[in-house]
């Protein structure tokens, strides 16, 4: 179209409107850039947004979905006098906890899911869903005070040489060579301790993706 609700459109704006007319859902900026060669800050896109023809939303979709758990909580209002013993146990837990997952309700009170369903049908409680965020560190014990690392004579020499280079403040590249199991990671940890103690940060790159889980475990236990 040459215009939209009486508003004249430029050639570029017409191309954008024509493209979006064939879309059934929102279009990511990367896809729009590939199709029309336009970035998210394109003047034509901004003009269409100002005219109310398009709307732009900033946000990032998670690559890995978080799990959703079924929750239950009491509804406001007076409780009926006639409740079975199991229903009273479930209500008591909800009064104390406020809200729990259905699995937790069954586990802590020994009732079945049918008791929860009955409470909901009677209007005493209600279900809702709550997103449970994934924590890749939940299986790793919480870090305590980091242990002092004791290095061998050879490790100590490597550590002192690398530390001296760091303290020069000139940057540079060093290669710490050693066979698997020779203790290179301990040298790195001592260096990281020293850098962190000076109020600076460290970026650690894992050389092989298969080493990622064990590397995360080592560093999370020590630094959190």
């Amino acid at each position: 179209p040459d215009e939209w609700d009486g508003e004249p459109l430029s050639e570029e704006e017409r191309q954008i409107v024509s493209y979006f007319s064939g879309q059934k859902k929102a279009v990511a900026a990367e896809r729009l850039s590939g199709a029309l060669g336009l970035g998210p800050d394109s003047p034509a896109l901004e003009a269409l947004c100002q005219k109310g023809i398009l709307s732009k939303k900033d946000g990032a979709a998670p690559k890995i979905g978080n799990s959703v758990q079924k929750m239950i909580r009491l509804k406001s209002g007076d409780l009926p006098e006639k409740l079975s013993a199991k229903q009273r146990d479930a209500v008591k837990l909800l009064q104390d906890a406020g809200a729990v997952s259905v699995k937790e309700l069954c586990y802590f009170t020994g009732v079945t899911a049918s008791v929860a369903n009955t409470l909901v049908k009677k209007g005493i409680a209600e279900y809702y869903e709550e997103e449970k965020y994934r924590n890749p560190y939940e299986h790793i014990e919480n870090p305590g005070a980091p242990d002092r690392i004791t290095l061998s004579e050879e490790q100590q020499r490597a550590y002192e040489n690398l530390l001296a280079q760091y303290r020069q403040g000139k940057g540079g590249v060093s290669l710490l060579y050693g066979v698997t199991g020779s203790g290179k990671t301990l040298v790195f940890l001592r260096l990281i301790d020293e850098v962190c103690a000076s109020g600076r940060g460290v970026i650690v790159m894992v050389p092989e993706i298969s080493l990622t889980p064990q590397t995360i475990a080592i560093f999370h236990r020590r630094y959190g």
Side-chain angles (χ1 to χ4, degrees), residues 8-214:
L9 301 178
S10 67
E11 176 63 27
E12 193 173 27
E13 289 172 348
R14 288 198 296 272
Q15 290 179 359
I16 296 172
V17 171
S18 177
Y19 174 77
F20 274 95
S21 297
Q23 305 301 317
K24 295 182 179 180
K25 57 183 180 179
V27 177
E30 294 82 2
R31 183 179 172 188
L32 183 64
S33 177
L36 300 177
L38 299 174
D41 297 325
S42 163
L45 277 176
E46 292 294 335
L48 290 173
C49 290
Q50 291 176 4
K51 293 175 182 178
I53 300 173
L54 296 179
S55 62
K56 184 168 63 173
K57 180 180 179 181
D58 295 327
K63 297 290 185 181
I64 301 177
N66 296 309
S67 62
V68 175
Q69 57 184 351
K70 190 175 184 180
M71 305 289 291
I72 184 171
R73 61 191 171 197
L74 292 176
K75 298 178 71 174
S76 59
D78 297 331
L79 295 173
E81 295 182 2
K82 291 185 178 181
L83 291 175
S84 68
K86 291 184 177 181
Q87 290 171 356
R88 284 196 299 271
D89 290 341
V91 168
K92 179 65 167 59
L93 177 65
L94 293 175
Q95 288 175 328
D96 293 340
V100 295
S101 69
V102 176
K103 288 183 178 180
E104 290 171 330
L105 179 71
C106 296
Y107 177 80
F108 287 111
T109 62
V111 304
T112 62
S114 62
V115 174
N117 289 334
T118 301
L119 292 177
V120 172
K121 288 178 181 178
K122 288 184 174 182
I124 299 171
E126 62 182 355
Y127 289 134
Y128 68 99
E129 290 185 341
E130 183 175 271
E131 192 171 25
K132 183 180 180 182
Y133 295 99
R134 298 181 186 273
N135 179 8
Y137 311 120
E138 61 186 356
H139 65 288
I140 303 175
E141 62 188 30
N142 291 328
D147 297 329
R148 176 71 177 175
I149 295 175
T150 302
L151 301 177
S152 67
E153 184 177 339
E154 192 172 6
Q155 289 171 326
Q156 185 68 27
R157 285 199 302 270
Y159 163 74
E160 290 175 354
N161 288 334
L162 293 170
L163 182 60
Q165 180 176 325
Y166 161 70
R167 286 176 172 171
Q168 289 176 2
K170 297 180 180 180
V173 178
S174 297
L175 172 65
L176 181 59
Y177 177 78
V179 298
T180 302
S182 60
K184 299 184 296 295
T185 301
L186 293 178
V187 176
F188 294 144
L189 291 175
R190 276 290 300 275
L191 286 167
I192 291 171
D193 288 347
E194 186 70 27
V195 174
C196 291
S198 65
R200 305 187 70 178
V202 176
I203 296 176
V204 177
M205 299 180 67
V206 183
E208 186 178 335
I209 194 168
S210 62
L211 298 176
T212 301
Q214 70 184 64

